[in-house]
Amino acid sequence: MVTIADSRRVPGPNLLWDRPGAVAEIACPDDRLEAFLAAWRAAARAMLDRLGWRDEGLTSRRFPHGASVAISAPLDALFTATEVNEWAIARAAERLGDPPAPDEESAARVLAERRREEARPGLVALHAAALARGVTLLHDPDEVSVGGGTGSRTWPLGEIPAPDTVDWGAVHDVPTVLVTGSNGKTTTVRLLAAVATAAGRVTGMSSTDTVTIAGQVLDWGDWSGPAGARAVLRDRRVEFAVLETARGGILRRGLAATRAVAAIVTNIAEDHVGEWGVGDLATLAETKLVVGRALLPGGRLVLNADDPTLVTAAGALLTTPLLWISLDPASPVLQTHLAAGGDGCWVDQGRVLLQREGHRTEVMSVAEAPITLGGAARHNVYNLVGVVALAAVAGLPLESIRAGLRGFAGGSRDNPGRLNVYRFGGATAIVDFAHNPHGMDALAALAAALPAERRLVVLGQAGDRDDQALRELARSAWALRPDRIVLKEMEKYLRGRPLGQTSDLLAAAFVALGAAPESIVRAASEYQAVTTALAWARPGDLLVLPTHAERGRVLALMEQLQDAGWEPGQPLPP
């Protein structure tokens, strides 16, 4: 039996290719997959030809027990394309013995009508005009725009102008930077925005937390997909755009922003594997490397030379111009690249060094950037080096780079929820977003450098991670050698698991690692987990508080306690 796990329209460059169209993930027994794909190709090709889409193509990508199958389509026919793809899948499955699909003749009549209803020749014409002039075109079910930021113009989808009526002289793009990776994305976005602001640019940024323009939050929530990119690039105040570009958005819709001066993949970690046809780290890396396809001439894709998965995946990037970053000045990847005249940014004896076009510059010391906590926060040293590289490629002045990084305090005002450190009467609490083993490893490494009489960790996880991923998260947290473990429930992130199951699995993993069962306590919510931790604390303790579901409420509590001079043992606010 062949089943469709997901079917969607994909307007932008994506894991499979750079063409707009439709993608579906299908589940199929391995011994039937080759026959299915051959039948799907034949059915899809026949229907594309019937619709007059003879220049459109087909592609597929296998994964264990299934495949992603895609057809390209005109930009104004993407909903129809999903139906074409679904029909071809059903037709192919029928030929392998599954239930009958509509015959080709009747399906073609229905699909042709769908195509006529969806057609927007004005959108196609405007897209061609924008492409010819080398400017961005963005569209969604409600609006279409050309250019970016101060050079953007936006119209309702039903009022698309004829290309010859557009004042193209006023249309232009603004410098745009794409930020992706498994961890460190939001901090990198915020750091780079601070640098651009220090350079006097009105900066727009989108991230997993907000859309923010010129320091003003326009909307809260996860805006790391195409909708966030459009919100920033259509704001006519914006002179410099920094866009967090999450894996999910690349897979579901492709890149919205396709003209970038620089892009970065911070790292690759075991997170979200098993979704949308991504079954291993190599494919996850390939997905994130899609951002490199958006680079304009003279741009650079910034990659982490200390990440083995990225180094291997980058071997396929034969024409993409790279800039490698590293915290190891002797890195063979970095040194080979520099020796060949390539660009790089690295740390040597506590100093950040930058090489661009053969010219080497000492930028600043690591300790000058508050976010690194004097270099102890190694993961933020990586973020620092990556931002120096991105800013340099984007043409921001060196003095602005230094000023922006020195002025970014990294607390809950500049970087809410990311390595926010609070001190309460001799006890230290760290609020952070660490949500996967890689992030927890980094947090544990920092915590290990801090003295403490006792240690506590709060832990929970979204229900869409598999059991092994939960055990790995517990292993990473166990590196803290916690005296107390508080397991939090997060109903917002159950994602198919029953309430309590994730905590049960984490508790069992900790006991297997050597935790005493009595050291593990449960909390009904994230906020309750934090208050449980604070009630347990005494002077000299270290509390590690990964926070996701109720971050705003947790940070408000921490700020309230800090402002009130709260100390362990005192009552907490009701």
Side-chain angles (χ1 to χ4, degrees):
M1 177 68 114
V2 175
T3 58
I4 299 176
D6 186 77
S7 176
R8 60 195 182 276
R9 58 190 172 85
V10 184
N14 55 83
L15 177 60
L16 279 79
W17 55 6
D18 290 349
R19 304 177 72 172
V23 177
E25 267 80 55
I26 60 100
C28 178
D30 290 337
D31 60 353
R32 300 177 65 193
L33 185 58
E34 196 57 49
F36 165 80
L37 290 174
W40 166 79
R41 289 188 198 98
R45 183 72 268 162
M47 188 58 71
L48 291 177
D49 291 347
R50 269 184 171 271
L51 293 173
W53 297 356
R54 292 178 176 82
D55 293 334
E56 303 301 343
L58 311 169
T59 192
S60 62
R61 185 186 182 100
R62 295 169 178 80
F63 51 80
H65 316 306
S68 298
V69 294
I71 64 171
S72 69
L75 194 63
D76 65 336
L78 300 188
F79 287 103
T80 304
T82 63
E83 296 188 38
V84 172
N85 203 21
E86 289 164 14
W87 174 83
I89 292 167
R91 187 72 162 172
E94 175 190 351
R95 293 176 182 175
L96 272 66
D98 284 2
D103 65 83
E104 185 177 316
E105 187 68 34
S106 60
R109 287 196 298 271
V110 171
L111 291 168
E113 180 60 27
R114 296 275 195 277
R115 170 62 178 122
R116 285 191 290 273
E117 292 170 353
E118 190 181 358
R120 290 190 181 276
L123 173 63
V124 175
L126 189 65
H127 179 253
L131 195 65
R133 291 166 173 80
V135 294
T136 295
L137 179 136
L138 300 170
H139 71 99
D140 56 58
D142 299 316
E143 294 181 315
V144 61
S145 60
V146 292
T150 57
S152 68
R153 300 294 183 272
T154 304
W155 303 272
L157 197 61
E159 301 175 17
I160 299 173
D164 59 3
T165 67
V166 175
D167 180 8
W168 291 103
V171 174
H172 60 82
D173 288 328
V174 294
T176 300
V177 177
L178 306 183
V179 178
T180 193
S182 293
N183 291 297
K185 299 185 293 297
T186 300
T187 296
T188 297
V189 165
R190 291 169 174 165
L191 271 175
L192 183 57
V195 170
T197 300
R201 311 288 183 90
V202 176
T203 304
M205 62 178 180
S206 59
S207 72
T208 52
D209 289 340
T210 67
V211 171
T212 300
I213 310 295
Q216 175 191 2
V217 174
L218 299 191
D219 207 341
W220 296 92
D222 187 349
W223 289 97
S224 59
R230 291 193 295 267
V232 171
L233 292 175
R234 287 174 174 167
D235 192 302
R236 296 185 63 187
R237 294 171 293 174
V238 171
E239 299 171 340
F240 192 97
V242 191
L243 310 176
E244 185 170 334
T245 308
R247 158 213 60 95
I250 296 173
L251 291 168
R252 288 193 291 266
R253 292 288 182 262
L255 295 179
T258 57
R259 297 176 58 79
V261 296
I264 187 171
V265 183
T266 58
N267 47 60
I268 301 295
E270 193 85 30
D271 198 17
H272 298 291
V273 172
E275 300 174 1
W276 308 94
V278 175
D280 53 42
L281 289 182
T283 308
L284 183 60
E286 191 175 347
T287 301
K288 293 178 182 295
L289 287 169
V290 168
V291 296
R293 301 187 210 162
L295 290 177
L296 293 167
R300 294 290 185 274
L301 176 59
V302 178
L303 298 179
N304 185 344
D306 302 336
D307 188 308
T309 303
L310 268 179
V311 171
T312 300
L317 301 177
L318 301 180
T319 60
T320 304
L322 303 179
L323 187 157
W324 287 102
I325 63 172
S326 178
L327 302 194
D328 176 11
S331 161
V333 173
L334 174 70
Q335 288 302 327
T336 299
H337 189 65
L338 295 177
D343 295 346
C345 191
W346 67 99
V347 174
D348 189 1
Q349 297 182 359
R351 300 169 301 148
V352 179
L353 303 177
L354 172 71
Q355 179 168 308
R356 289 273 289 147
E357 300 177 348
H359 179 69
R360 189 167 297 188
T361 303
E362 181 175 337
V363 179
M364 63 191 299
S365 73
V366 168
E368 289 179 73
I371 196 169
T372 71
L373 301 183
R378 185 176 174 85
H379 59 298
N380 273 342
V381 179
Y382 275 112
N383 295 333
L384 169 73
V385 173
V387 167
V388 169
L390 291 170
V393 172
L396 298 177
L398 187 58
E399 283 310 309
S400 298
I401 296 173
R402 291 169 175 149
L405 296 173
R406 288 168 180 158
F408 192 90
S412 60
R413 180 181 64 83
D414 286 342
N415 203 23
R418 270 72 176 179
L419 199 61
N420 302 151
V421 180
Y422 299 88
R423 291 186 168 84
F424 302 120
T428 300
I430 301 175
V431 177
D432 191 77
F433 190 69
H435 64 291
N436 55 38
H438 185 273
M440 186 58 70
D441 285 341
L443 188 56
L446 167 65
L450 301 176
E453 294 181 12
R454 300 185 305 168
R455 296 169 186 267
L456 176 148
V457 64
V458 165
L459 201 65
Q461 183 56 289
D464 55 354
R465 273 57 164 192
D466 62 25
D467 292 1
Q468 182 56 34
L470 295 175
R471 286 189 283 269
E472 285 298 309
L473 183 64
R475 178 201 56 75
S476 297
W478 185 243
L480 289 161
R481 292 295 182 265
D483 299 279
R484 179 60 58 97
I485 300 162
V486 183
L487 300 179
K488 61 183 177 179
E489 297 296 340
M490 297 190 294
E491 290 193 49
K492 179 180 178 181
Y493 296 116
L494 288 177
R495 295 176 182 171
R497 287 190 187 266
L499 188 66
Q501 186 182 81
T502 297
S503 292
D504 288 343
L505 288 164
L506 289 171
F510 277 118
V511 171
L513 289 164
E518 60 271 19
S519 71
I520 303 172
V521 298
R522 308 290 187 101
S525 69
E526 187 168 80
Y527 186 81
Q528 186 184 103
V530 170
T531 57
T532 298
L534 292 167
W536 178 84
R538 65 190 186 200
D541 288 347
L542 174 64
L543 312 179
V544 178
L545 310 175
T547 303
H548 320 97
E550 298 180 86
R551 191 195 65 191
R553 190 179 180 198
V554 168
L555 290 176
L557 172 64
M558 304 301 277
E559 295 292 331
Q560 179 184 356
L561 295 177
Q562 184 169 261
D563 292 345
W566 179 85
E567 296 185 4
Q570 294 179 347
L572 292 167

